Amino acid sequence: MSRPGTPTRTIPVRAGAFAMSGDIQRPATLTVADLRERWEQHESDVTFDCATNGPQRHTFAGPLLREVVGDAGPAFDPRRRKDRSRFLLAVSGGDGHHTVLSWAEIDADFGNSPVLLATRLDGRELDAVGSQLVVPSDRCGARYISAISSIWIGAGRVLTGGRG
Ligand SMILES: Nc1nc2c(c(=O)[nH]1)N[C@H]1C(S)=C(S)[C@@H](COP(=O)(O)O)O[C@H]1N2
Ligand SMILES: [Mo]
């Protein structure tokens, strides 16, 4: 939230947009408008707890994370569950707060968690602020990353026994 002429923090892409990168066929920059126009919107009423602020209740709307990431073409064989189960997602906010999910967590054949990339929060469109990660199955709010600036998708080389 800056006034004109006020220096801002590093804006990696542009306000309200995030970069999708990693082991995917189609790296992209997506705005909240893209998220609203290109994928089906789902609504989610959630309650989460914060260690510092207590419980919060919100209504979010937006596309499913698995549909947005799936359309970027992760470098797995989509027909092989075992191959898909190797993948990780790292989601970062503009302030540096970041978290990870596993692809299996959101995959319909595994955890099937309806994680959203919100375009709307309690009736307010998030275009200027940026998308927010919505993890309805989490009791804690820490993974509800706001002002998303990047999403990385990859197979987590550390888990494959490599030395790199
Ligand atoms: N970008 C970003 N998103 C964030 C955080 C943060 O520090 N930065 N804090 C998380 C935490 S700990 C909680 S509980 C929820 C709600 O925090 P709020 O009450 O400060 O909005 O946002 C989450 N999303
Ligand atoms: Mo929190």
Side-chain angles (χ1 to χ4, degrees):
M1 302 309 97
S2 61
R3 296 186 306 271
T6 305
T8 54
R9 286 189 303 255
T10 308
I11 295 173
V13 193
R14 59 184 183 272
F18 64 87
M20 210 166 27
S21 67
D23 299 337
I24 52 175
Q25 285 160 26
R26 290 173 292 280
T29 298
L30 293 175
T31 63
V32 170
D34 292 329
L35 294 176
R36 186 183 301 114
E37 287 155 19
R38 288 167 52 184
W39 290 277
E40 187 188 337
Q41 305 292 293
H42 298 256
E43 208 170 82
S44 188
D45 289 314
V46 300
T47 305
F48 59 76
D49 186 53
C50 176
T52 42
N53 296 331
Q56 294 188 33
R57 197 174 162 183
H58 296 291
T59 302
F60 290 97
L64 289 166
L65 176 64
R66 68 165 166 259
E67 293 191 356
V68 176
V69 173
D71 284 352
F76 51 52
D77 181 343
R79 293 160 305 183
R80 290 187 58 228
R81 294 190 285 235
K82 199 167 162 182
D83 198 31
R84 301 198 309 267
S85 76
R86 298 176 301 121
F87 273 66
L88 301 171
L89 295 85
V91 180
S92 305
D95 60 354
H97 178 51
H98 56 100
T99 197
V100 294
L101 301 91
S102 65
W103 173 267
E105 218 177 320
I106 58 174
D107 189 304
D109 287 329
F110 293 91
N112 195 26
S113 180
V115 175
L116 302 184
L117 284 169
T119 58
R120 197 168 73 220
L121 163 57
D122 296 332
R124 290 199 336 269
E125 305 297 338
L126 291 173
D127 296 72
V129 179
S131 181
Q132 182 161 3
L133 193 68
V134 179
V135 193
S137 50
D138 280 7
R139 197 188 69 80
C140 165
R143 293 204 295 179
Y144 280 74
I145 309 283
S146 56
I148 294 173
S149 58
S150 70
I151 299 181
W152 176 93
I153 302 105
R157 198 180 320 190
V158 68
L159 299 177
T160 66
R163 283 180 222 111

